[in-house]
Amino acid sequence: MGDGRSRLDLQTDRAHGARIYDYILGGKDNYSADRAAAEATLQVWPALPVHMRANREFMHRAGRYLATECGIDQFLDIGTGIPTSPNLHEVVQEVRPDARIVYTDNDPIVLVHARALMSSTEQGRTAYVDADLRDPDTVLNSPEFRETLGPNRPIALLLIAIVHFIEDDEEALTATRRIIDVLPAGSYVAATIATADFAPEALAEVRRTYREHGETLRFRTKAQAARFFDGLELTEPGLVQMHKWRPDEHTEPADDTDIAMYAAVARKP
């Protein structure tokens, strides 16, 4: 991306969820506002690193499951975040070298590093779209989406730790449904959705801390989270805390109170 940093407004004066996530995971693509928000959040909820690692682990497990057991070789990852290896394409192309992946994010620093997301096996392909989930038509009408993913074969839509940045329920549901509606039958949706069900007092403080640092955060109950999968067929074990979704030998043990997201993978009939 060359001198992209000089051309883009990186909005370093306010915290951004992707950069907070990057800082907690030990990355270097964050700024003082992001670090301040992360450290303040750790004061009120020390489990934040466990929670964020569990989110990353779910993405890896879901990606492998979709590529291996569901036969999916096309992926649309909205809310990609700052590249942290292994990224989705590395996970799925390990088992499906021909897999094609379109990444999407609205953080300008992710755009700066998008080249790391566009590496690929020779047989497969990756692309990046600079877009916001709130504007799904920008994603769907982009040449990157249209030229990378075939419209007549199943696509896996990943919404990993993204819908909690849209506070209004109907706006979040409408945006995600717009994308799901254009996916062909046999497609899948994998999502993690923030909740305060298991540690309400601590997570109320997390939400307050995020707001103080300029970032939105919306927790949803299990019933509210389930609405994102309306009309879809949940795979086993259904909608559960993300560390309980098909754990494997790489899944870090965690107390329920340390995990603030539901997760599920569902098939579009």
Side-chain angles (χ1 to χ4, degrees), residues 1-187:
M1 290 296 160
D3 63 346
R5 286 179 183 269
S6 64
R7 297 195 304 270
L8 294 170
D9 177 9
L10 297 180
Q11 303 169 6
T12 60
D13 58 336
R14 60 175 291 272
H16 190 287
R19 300 196 295 257
I20 296 171
Y21 188 79
D22 176 74
Y23 174 72
I24 292 295
L25 292 181
K28 302 182 185 304
D29 295 301
N30 48 75
Y31 297 92
S32 59
D34 311 303
R35 295 189 286 272
E39 292 296 337
T41 304
L42 286 169
Q43 292 297 311
V44 299
W45 194 46
L48 183 62
V50 174
H51 164 81
M52 288 188 168
R53 288 194 298 270
N55 182 69
R56 192 78 184 171
E57 290 170 359
F58 168 79
M59 185 272 285
H60 293 160
R61 294 196 306 277
R64 283 192 293 270
Y65 168 76
L66 290 163
T68 304
E69 298 190 37
C70 304
I72 298 296
D73 62 1
Q74 301 195 111
F75 297 80
L76 173 60
D77 182 3
I78 299 182
T80 299
I82 295 165
T84 305
S85 186
N87 295 296
L88 177 64
H89 70 278
E90 295 170 294
V91 171
V92 300
Q93 288 182 344
E94 184 176 354
V95 294
R96 295 293 301 260
D98 59 341
R100 294 179 165 226
I101 300 92
V102 173
Y103 291 110
T104 300
D105 206 289
N106 71 333
D107 182 356
I109 201 170
V110 181
L111 177 61
V112 169
H113 292 280
R115 194 176 302 280
L117 296 170
M118 291 191 288
S119 61
S120 175
T121 59
E122 184 176 346
Q123 305 98 307
R125 185 174 175 185
T126 62
Y128 180 81
V129 182
D130 182 26
D132 193 313
L133 174 59
R134 297 175 182 86
D135 184 16
D137 286 338
T138 294
V139 178
L140 298 172
N141 294 327
S142 68
E144 293 85 359
F145 175 79
R146 292 178 175 274
E147 295 171 8
T148 305
L149 305 183
N152 299 318
R153 292 188 298 109
I155 295 169
L157 169 64
L158 275 72
L159 300 168
I160 306 299
I162 181 65
V163 297
H164 58 262
F165 294 122
I166 304 178
E167 289 195 86
D168 184 83
D169 285 350
E170 292 309 314
E171 182 183 12
L173 288 164
T174 298
T176 56
R177 182 55 55 182
R178 170 76 180 100
I179 297 171
I180 293 169
D181 283 348
V182 305
L183 301 181
S187 292

Side-chain angles (χ1 to χ4, degrees), residues 181-207:
D181 283 348
V182 305
L183 301 181
S187 292
Y188 284 81
V189 177
T192 57
I193 299 170
T195 184
D197 284 357
F198 302 93
E201 293 182 3
L203 290 163
E205 289 299 301
V206 170
R207 186 170 184 259

